[in-house]
Amino acid sequence: MNDVRVRRGDPDDLVPVLRVLEGALLDVTAAGVRAGLDEDRVYVAVATREQGEAPVVGALLHEGGHVTAVAVPRHRRGEGIGRALIEAAAADVAAPDEPLTADFDPEVRGFYEAIGFEIRQEDDRLRGTWTPDR
């Protein structure tokens, strides 16, 4: 992950963030992502190059302490980008005595387990809670 940095998204990131989130088949809308960007609820992981920032290689959308979408393109998975996005969101939005939460499908359980989320089944989805080391 040496070539990646995480920052808050800005309105200029709308199209690349949508590409990443929709590429992961997440249920997001342009209006929802635009609102998240306008309200500082989006984090992006961007590849860095000698000439400056390059493509968005990960994105996270949250509502307070709840992650509503997080994705990294398949060719960049396993590099710690998803973890860095989760940690950035937790540092900024999770209350000190409350965990970060996320609801997700069973197919991505391994991602959340690897980060250290405690996971429980809720109907056909899973709910994870994570309290970062502060």
Side-chain angles (χ1 to χ4, degrees), residues 98-121:
E98 293 182 24
L100 193 67
T101 62
D103 296 327
F104 49 91
D105 293 327
E107 301 86 57
V108 294
R109 180 182 189 131
F111 165 73
Y112 287 97
E113 283 180 330
I115 293 173
F117 274 74
E118 293 180 27
I119 299 169
R120 68 180 187 277
Q121 184 80 40

Side-chain angles (χ1 to χ4, degrees), residues 2 79 86:
N2 297 349
E79 297 179 32
I86 293 284

Side-chain angles (χ1 to χ4, degrees), residues 10-34:
D10 61 54
D12 292 337
D13 294 318
L14 177 63
V15 171
V17 167
L18 277 170
R19 281 188 187 131
V20 169
L21 296 177
E22 288 177 340
L25 303 177
L26 297 178
D27 188 18
V28 296
T29 64
V33 172
R34 183 178 296 112

Side-chain angles (χ1 to χ4, degrees), residues 6 43 59-61 66-71 80-94 100-102 111-112 115-117 130-132:
V6 174
Y43 289 86
L60 179 146
L61 176 62
H66 184 76
V67 175
T68 57
V70 60
I81 296 169
R83 174 183 287 275
L85 288 163
I86 293 284
E87 289 173 349
D92 283 349
V93 300
L100 193 67
T101 62
F111 165 73
Y112 287 97
I115 293 173
F117 274 74
W130 184 65
T131 305

Side-chain angles (χ1 to χ4, degrees), residues 28-50:
V28 296
T29 64
V33 172
R34 183 178 296 112
L37 289 164
D38 290 344
E39 298 166 8
D40 287 332
R41 296 184 292 107
V42 175
Y43 289 86
V44 295
V46 292
T48 55
R49 303 239 163 70
E50 288 182 24

